[in-house]
Amino acid sequence: DGDLLWMAMEFIQGRDLGSIIATDAPLTVERIVRIFSQVCEALDEAHDANIIHRDLKPANVVCFDHRRTQDFVKVLDFGIAKIMDPDENYQPLTRDGIVCGTPAYMSPEQVQGFELDPRSDLFSLGIILYQSITGRLPFFAESAVEVATKIVIDDPEPPNKVRPEWKYPPELEAVVLKLLAKDKDERYPDAIAAKEALEA
C-alpha cells in the first residue's frame, strides 16, 4: 500500500556452528577445514569491502547442505560490523573507543577499545577454531571483565593438552595458536593466508 516499510532477507535452514560442535564433536579434520576455509572466504569478502565483522562467533556461522555440498557456510549478523576508511557521508552507529561484540570471542585490541583492522576478526576465528577442536573456549571466566583480562594477558592452553583424546595434527594446532597471537602482527596477514594455512 506504500505505507509499510519492509526488508526481504534470505531464509537459511541450517545449524549454527555452536550446535554442530555440541552435537557432532569431535569433528573430522576434513570437516573443520571445509567449514573454516569457507569462513575465511566470507571474511575475505567482507574485508575486501572494508568491513570488519567484530562479532564473529559460532552462532553467526551457519552450515547447511546445498545441492552437492555438505556444510555450505554462511557468515551472518553484520549488525555491529565496522566500515574501515569510510567516506564523508558515513554515519557510524558506534563511537571510537566503545567496545562492541561478544566478550568471549573478542580480540585483545577489541576488548581494550583500540582501533581494529581485519586481523581482529582473525583472532575471533582462532577462538572458534580452538573451540571446534577442544569443545572449550580458550579464555573462560565467570565475568566478562575476567574474560577480557585473560584475552589480553593469558596464553591459551595448547589444544592437545586440553583435549588429548581428540587427535588433531600439530599443524592444525599451530594454525590455531598463530591466529590467537596477542600481537596482531604475529597473526596471519589476512583471511586468505589463514585459509591457505588451514588447507595445507
Side-chain angles (χ1 to χ4, degrees):
D1 299 329
D3 298 327
L4 185 66
L5 291 174
W6 57 276
M7 182 188 300
M9 299 175 70
E10 180 182 10
F11 175 70
I12 299 172
Q13 196 158 18
R15 290 196 297 158
D16 70 71
L17 191 51
S19 68
I20 289 172
I21 294 168
T23 59
D24 298 357
L27 308 180
T28 65
V29 174
E30 292 78 13
R31 192 174 187 193
I32 286 170
V33 170
R34 182 169 64 245
I35 290 171
F36 281 88
S37 291
Q38 293 177 80
V39 176
C40 288
E41 288 178 0
L43 288 177
D44 179 63
E45 286 290 328
H47 297 161
D48 189 58
N50 287 329
I51 296 168
I52 306 169
H53 192 288
R54 294 203 298 183
D55 197 24
L56 193 65
K57 58 187 176 184
N60 289 337
V61 177
V62 172
C63 301
F64 58 98
D65 293 341
H66 175 64
R67 298 185 69 190
R68 291 176 298 280
T69 305
Q70 285 189 307
D71 292 321
F72 189 87
V73 170
K74 293 271 187 173
V75 175
L76 310 181
D77 197 356
F78 283 76
I80 62 165
K82 183 171 179 66
I83 296 177
M84 301 175 285
D85 301 322
D87 63 29
E88 66 276 4
N89 297 318
Y90 173 67
Q91 294 291 319
L93 294 176
T94 58
R95 296 194 311 275
D96 287 342
I98 300 297
V99 175
C100 293
T102 304
Y105 297 93
M106 288 183 179
S107 67
E109 56 270 27
Q110 191 174 5
V111 298
Q112 295 175 91
F114 295 160
E115 188 173 345
L116 303 182
D117 68 24
R119 292 170 293 180
S120 177
D121 283 343
L122 296 186
F123 189 92
S124 303
L125 180 76
I127 292 176
I128 303 170
L129 189 50
Y130 185 103
Q131 191 174 1
S132 297
I133 66 173
T134 65
R136 300 180 194 170
L137 287 164
F139 310 103
F140 181 78
E142 294 299 316
S143 73
V145 172
E146 288 176 288
V147 169
T149 302
K150 287 186 174 215
I151 287 170
V152 173
I153 294 171
D154 291 359
D155 288 323
E157 191 174 358
N160 63 15
K161 291 210 167 109
V162 173
R163 188 76 74 156
E165 69 275 20
W166 290 7
K167 304 290 186 195
Y168 288 108
E171 295 87 352
L172 180 58
E173 181 170 303
V175 171
V176 174
L177 296 177
K178 186 171 176 71
L179 287 166
L180 291 176
K182 306 291 185 196
D183 182 349
K184 60 186 177 183
D185 290 333
E186 294 178 9
R187 297 173 208 152
Y188 294 99
D190 53 51
I192 292 303
K195 176 182 182 254
E196 289 169 352
L198 270 173
E199 292 178 344

